[in-house]
């Protein structure tokens, strides 16, 4: 079974902080994805990566960056957190995409 | 511009009856369609998929139907069980897109006892 692990289930940060969300997969998958989920909006793609050190912008990359230094790990970075980035963040890998349990991030 | 639409935000079905969840898409180049199920505070779980060369795929209680001419797919759950209460997302994929998925907004299915 594919396992995608997100480092935190719940996180509370302050406006202006730099926030790191970590995601690790255990199946040597090339493709990894970061989404945010908001009520009524479904899943919106922030960034994805199809190989180490490769990244592509998704639909809503503004205010975010990513890092993929190793194949198994894909990190999402909020450069300067703002309240409108309060959301559920979901990491996925492979196809069909397998998801972690999500990180509920609150920015105060 | 929403390429994948789930027009029903919620659906309520009696336990034991059939649940039918619908999804419409606009891009005729989509070549693969997937359904995911999501419980609160968990990530989505892959449920069933269908290639654009087929019109039906079945897995136990779950069947997905694809009508390419109408650009419509549906997920049938029969019989519906209380554990099926969740949000269901429809997603579509384009060949050569690095496995990106285009997602619908989701339909919340409530199974009544």
């Amino acid at each position: 079974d594919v396992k995608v692990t997100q480092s935190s289930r719940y996180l509370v940060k302050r406006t202006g902080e730099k926030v790191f969300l970590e995601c690790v997969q255990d199946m040597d998958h090339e493709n990894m994805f970061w989404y945010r989920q908001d009520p009524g909006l479904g899943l919106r793609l922030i960034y994805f990566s199809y190989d180490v050190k490769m990244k592509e912008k998704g639909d809503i990359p503004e205010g975010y960056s990513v890092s993929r230094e190793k194949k198994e790990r894909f990190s999402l970075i909020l450069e300067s957190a703002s309240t409108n980035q309060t959301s559920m963040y979901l990491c996925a890998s492979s196809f069909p995409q397998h998801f972690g349990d999500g990180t509920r991030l609150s920015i105060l | 511009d929403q390429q994948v639409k789930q027009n029903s935000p919620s659906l309520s079905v009696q336990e034991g009856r059939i649940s039918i969840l619908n999804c419409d898409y606009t891009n005729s180049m989509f070549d693969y369609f997937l359904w995911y199920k999501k419980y609160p505070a968990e990530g989505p779980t892959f449920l069933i998929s269908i290639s654009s060369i087929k019109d039906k795929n079945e897995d136990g209680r779950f069947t997905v139907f694809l009508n390419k001419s109408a650009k419509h797919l549906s997920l049938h759950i029969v019989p519906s069980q209380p554990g099926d209460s969740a949000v269901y997302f429809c997603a579509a994929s384009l060949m050569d897109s690095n496995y990106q998925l285009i997602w619908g907004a989701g339909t919340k299915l409530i199974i009544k006892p």
Side-chain angles (χ1 to χ4, degrees):
Chain A
D1 266 6
V2 177
K3 188 156 179 65
V4 178
T5 304
Q6 293 184 232
S7 52
S8 307
R9 292 297 300 274
Y10 301 94
L11 210 51
V12 179
K13 296 291 182 181
R14 298 229 171 258
T15 303
E17 279 192 73
K18 192 168 185 175
V19 181
F20 293 85
L21 301 182
E22 306 287 344
C23 176
V24 176
Q25 49 98 356
D26 66 352
M27 293 296 288
D28 205 35
H29 294 146
E30 292 179 342
N31 297 290
M32 297 187 75
F33 306 83
W34 273 108
Y35 294 92
R36 63 178 281 177
Q37 187 206 354
D38 300 289
L41 297 179
L43 276 69
R44 293 183 291 167
L45 182 64
I46 305 171
Y47 267 96
F48 71 99
S49 168
Y50 52 89
D51 205 348
V52 175
K53 297 192 185 296
M54 305 303 288
K55 60 185 179 184
E56 293 280 346
K57 292 180 180 179
D59 299 319
I60 51 165
E62 297 78 19
Y64 303 94
S65 63
V66 290
S67 172
R68 187 133 182 236
E69 296 296 318
K70 293 184 178 180
K71 199 171 189 180
E72 67 270 19
R73 186 179 297 270
F74 192 33
S75 304
L76 179 69
I77 303 154
L78 285 66
E79 297 291 344
S80 177
S82 64
T83 54
N84 63 11
Q85 291 178 310
T86 290
S87 187
M88 167 72 95
Y89 288 87
L90 293 159
C91 174
S93 75
S94 185
F95 187 89
Q97 291 178 19
H98 293 269
F99 286 82
D101 282 335
T103 297
R104 173 70 66 184
L105 175 64
S106 297
I107 307 296
L108 305 178
Chain B
D1 177 31
Q2 263 192 303
Q3 295 189 66
V4 177
K5 296 181 184 179
Q6 294 176 258
N7 290 318
S8 299
S10 66
L11 175 68
S12 188
V13 174
Q14 203 73 38
E15 182 180 355
R17 306 292 290 268
I18 184 170
S19 296
I20 300 176
L21 297 113
N22 293 304
C23 180
D24 296 297
Y25 60 95
T26 56
N27 191 340
S28 58
M29 299 300 291
F30 286 141
D31 54 4
Y32 208 78
F33 302 90
L34 305 91
W35 284 95
Y36 282 79
K37 174 180 177 178
K38 186 181 183 300
Y39 293 121
E42 292 183 13
T45 303
F46 170 68
L47 204 53
I48 191 168
S49 62
I50 187 166
S51 163
S52 60
I53 62 173
K54 295 188 174 182
D55 54 20
K56 178 182 173 180
N57 188 27
E58 197 170 348
D59 184 2
R61 295 186 299 116
F62 302 92
T63 304
V64 56
F65 295 92
L66 176 62
N67 182 334
K68 286 189 290 293
S69 60
K71 296 192 183 71
H72 177 84
L73 65 155
S74 60
L75 174 68
H76 293 213
I77 306 172
V78 56
S80 300
Q81 298 175 353
D84 296 330
S85 294
V87 176
Y88 289 79
F89 290 98
C90 164
S93 174
L94 270 169
M95 198 186 315
D96 298 330
S97 68
N98 280 314
Y99 302 106
Q100 286 186 73
L101 293 178
I102 312 299
W103 296 81
T107 297
K108 184 175 183 178
L109 176 64
I110 300 161
I111 305 301
K112 299 180 292 186

